[in-house]
Amino acid sequence: GENVEQHPSTLSVQEGDSAVIKCTYSDSASNYFPWYKQELGKRPQLIIDIRSNVGEKKDQRIAVTLNKTAKHFSLHITETQPEDSAVYFCAASSGGSYIPTFGRGTSLIVHP
Amino acid sequence: DTGVSQDPRHKITKRGQNVTFRCDPISEHNRLYWYRQTLGQGPEFLTYFQNEAQLEKSRLLSDRFSAERPKGSFSTLEIQRTEQGDSAMYLCATRQGAKAEQYFGPGTRLTVT
């Protein structure tokens, strides 16, 4: 089955800095890679996703890059703000059922 | 609120009791997923429905767990003879047709004492 590794487990940055979270996956058939943000006590919310036929996708301060050859993908947040503080999960899935395997999460702390 | 809803939000039960959780999807979403999330971990897939058909079940889903979606709308997840290891957040997520984006409910936090 799919295995998704996520690093780092904790990331502490100053407001205005950039943050990068990296994930690797094992199944070369994986073709859909979502990222979720989960604030304390809240539900996971999709913030950005990328499909295997695309190398990069950007949405305002958030971007995701995918390297299929190396089987890794990354989340980039620029100009971080305190409200970006949360746990971020990457995931990978294959096929039409889109059943994801999640990473263990990265706790992002943005200091004002 | 027209998002995914789950009931109850919290459940405390004694070991050995049965519990049932409910998930109500966004109205036009015909795909439904159940996950379990423990502290410090990402959600772990349990089972997947397309309309009323249960198409996938994880090996995590022991025979004490059963899920249904009788009319292709709401779904229930039942855990029989609960164990302390069942303590977790149980999340439901839904999506529409061929779209990949899943929308999560607020979860049901289960505590088994």
Side-chain angles (χ1 to χ4, degrees):
Chain A
E2 175 67 276
N3 182 49
V4 176
E5 299 284 341
Q6 183 171 348
H7 299 279
S9 57
T10 305
L11 180 58
S12 184
V13 300
Q14 289 296 128
E15 183 176 1
D17 288 351
S18 294
V20 180
I21 301 171
K22 299 182 179 182
C23 289
T24 59
Y25 62 99
S26 60
D27 187 352
S28 57
S30 289
N31 57 4
Y32 176 65
F33 306 89
W35 286 86
Y36 289 87
K37 175 183 181 182
Q38 188 173 30
E39 297 177 54
L40 191 63
K42 303 261 181 93
R43 70 189 78 189
Q45 289 194 302
L46 181 72
I47 55 171
I48 196 167
D49 56 7
I50 192 167
R51 292 182 182 271
S52 59
N53 59 348
V54 175
E56 183 172 359
K57 184 176 178 181
K58 190 172 181 180
D59 183 3
Q60 299 182 353
R61 296 186 297 108
I62 294 172
V64 57
T65 58
L66 171 65
N67 183 327
K68 283 195 304 180
T69 304
K71 296 202 195 95
H72 66 71
F73 55 115
S74 300
L75 178 72
H76 304 253
I77 306 174
T78 59
E79 300 171 20
T80 53
Q81 301 166 3
E83 51 265 39
D84 294 330
S85 296
V87 178
Y88 291 80
F89 293 99
C90 64
S93 66
S94 61
S97 59
Y98 295 110
I99 295 172
T101 299
F102 285 85
R104 295 186 63 169
T106 296
S107 177
L108 173 64
I109 303 165
V110 181
H111 298 280
Chain B
D1 186 356
T2 56
V4 180
S5 62
Q6 291 186 245
D7 184 72
R9 297 290 305 276
H10 303 274
K11 179 71 177 178
I12 301 173
T13 192
K14 293 186 177 180
R15 188 175 54 191
Q17 297 295 305
N18 299 344
V19 294
T20 300
F21 310 141
R22 177 178 170 126
C23 172
D24 285 274
I26 295 170
S27 61
E28 64 270 24
H29 286 194
N30 62 342
R31 318 295 175 101
L32 187 146
Y33 304 74
W34 284 98
Y35 298 90
R36 180 171 67 190
Q37 185 177 27
T38 53
L39 197 62
Q41 303 288 329
E44 294 176 296
F45 168 73
L46 293 178
T47 191
Y48 163 63
F49 289 86
Q50 179 177 323
N51 299 312
E52 66 276 8
Q54 187 174 20
L55 298 187
E56 296 272 353
K57 288 196 293 186
S58 165
R59 285 171 292 178
L60 288 175
L61 209 67
S62 77
D63 56 6
R64 296 186 298 106
F65 287 69
S66 62
E68 294 182 341
R69 197 182 182 200
K71 297 182 181 178
S73 57
F74 74 91
S75 176
T76 58
L77 177 68
E78 181 184 17
I79 309 174
Q80 296 182 324
R81 305 181 303 282
T82 52
E83 302 172 356
Q84 286 188 321
D86 297 331
S87 295
M89 176 74 84
Y90 290 84
L91 292 162
C92 173
T94 70
R95 67 178 178 91
Q96 179 182 10
K99 295 183 179 179
E101 301 85 353
Q102 294 187 26
Y103 295 84
F104 280 83
T108 295
R109 181 167 295 285
L110 173 66
T111 302
V112 182
T113 61

